[in-house]
Amino acid sequence: MEGNSVILAVNEIHTYLGKGHILNGVSLEVGQGEIAVLLGRNGVGKSTTLKSIVGLTPIKRGAVTFNGEEIGRLKPYQVCRKGLGYVPEERRIFPHLTVRQNLLLGIKPKQRVDNPWTIEKIYTYFPRLKDRDKQKGGNLSGGEQQMLTIGRALAGNPELVLVDEPMEGLSPVMVEAVVEVLRRFNEEGRSILLVEHAIDVALALAKRAYVMSKGKTVFAGTSEELQAAEDVRKKYLEV
């Protein structure tokens, strides 16, 4: 990788769900301070790739390194402690806790970072969460729960955050809010690996793009190169 040093390297990983061979040699890299996007049709293994990186679906072969350290065999909580955050597609909030209590759970004890993402800072970008500070998470709309899931991950001040389909089902206004907070997070020198179906939005955000098909990465390049690769987009992305 030219320019940015590599913060995350995924090298030929293989993951199984039961007897199903879901990931069949996925490789990708994310540079320090870079946004990379992982694209592909439904069912090709994008979400499983993120889950494999964070240890939720353990890899059988291959390697995952974060800041030069092998993390491919660690438990999810150990991966998190290394400085990696995860925003799942399923919006796993705690429905019986308030918005603020959900955000407090994301804060790592004794963390010392420059310009941290405090609850107040998160509320600056997601004012609807501030308005619902004392409401229980289960009473929020789907879009508000998505904001809460993202905010909780950022409250841990990770160096790299994996974000799975953050714009899905959101109104245009909420999409703009999510895009802005991801862009701001990245402008502070932190990295993002994004899975997203809204290709135009994703490529506008990301510097580097990967395309998956049948459990493999079939394209790696810049966003501009993917925009120009009409054959790749037609074969692997267009419906």
Side-chain angles (χ1 to χ4, degrees):
M1 177 180 293
E2 297 179 0
N4 303 57
S5 60
V6 176
I7 187 172
L8 176 74
V10 177
N11 185 24
E12 290 287 323
I13 63 171
H14 293 253
T15 298
Y16 292 77
L17 295 179
K19 294 183 179 180
H21 194 173
I22 307 302
L23 301 185
N24 188 18
V26 172
S27 296
L28 58 85
E29 292 181 346
V30 182
Q32 181 71 49
E34 179 180 74
I35 300 178
V37 62
L38 186 58
L39 301 167
R41 295 192 177 102
N42 288 336
V44 299
K46 303 184 303 296
S47 294
T48 302
T49 298
L50 299 193
K51 291 177 180 178
S52 295
I53 292 170
V54 298
L56 290 170
T57 53
I59 64 174
K60 296 296 184 182
R61 301 200 306 275
V64 179
T65 58
F66 178 62
N67 278 328
E69 180 181 357
E70 168 63 44
I71 63 169
R73 304 301 188 275
L74 298 183
K75 301 294 185 183
Y77 75 91
Q78 294 172 315
V79 173
C80 179
R81 288 177 181 175
K82 298 291 183 183
L84 197 152
Y86 175 52
V87 179
E89 182 181 11
E90 300 87 357
R91 302 173 184 173
R92 296 175 186 162
I93 64 163
F94 294 93
H96 301 299
L97 298 182
T98 67
V99 167
R100 179 171 288 268
Q101 287 168 337
N102 267 275
L103 293 174
L104 286 170
L105 288 175
I107 298 175
K108 298 174 185 175
K110 300 180 181 178
Q111 61 180 4
R112 292 184 177 88
V113 297
D114 295 331
N115 196 14
W117 280 78
T118 63
I119 292 178
E120 288 68 30
K121 184 174 180 178
I122 292 166
Y123 283 168
T124 298
Y125 289 94
F126 292 144
R128 297 183 90 165
L129 294 184
K130 182 177 181 180
D131 294 341
R132 289 153 177 75
D133 178 85
K134 293 182 173 60
Q135 289 190 18
K136 291 185 177 180
N139 295 331
L140 303 183
S141 70
E144 290 163 350
Q145 289 184 6
Q146 182 66 295
M147 292 179 179
L148 182 56
T149 306
I150 294 170
R152 186 178 61 195
L154 300 188
N157 289 284
E159 292 181 67
L160 166 70
V161 65
L162 312 181
V163 189
D164 195 355
E165 297 285 359
M167 294 17 144
E168 186 175 13
L170 300 188
S171 68
V173 172
M174 288 190 175
V175 167
E176 288 181 10
V178 170
V179 168
E180 177 60 26
V181 77
L182 294 178
R183 182 177 286 120
R184 179 59 181 164
F185 180 78
N186 174 246
E187 287 173 351
E188 294 178 355
R190 301 170 190 181
S191 307
I192 299 170
L193 177 57
L194 172 67
V195 167
E196 180 53 51
H197 268 111
I199 297 173
D200 292 342
V201 174
L203 293 182
L205 267 174
K207 175 182 177 182
R208 184 168 301 275
Y210 295 92
V211 178
M212 287 187 64
S213 179
K214 298 179 181 179
K216 296 182 178 181
T217 39
V218 294
F219 174 89
T222 66
S223 295
E224 291 80 7
E225 288 168 343
L226 181 56
Q227 290 278 22
E230 185 176 354
D231 56 333
V232 173
R233 290 187 286 104
K234 282 187 175 181
K235 185 174 182 179
Y236 298 113
L237 298 178
E238 295 178 6
V239 178

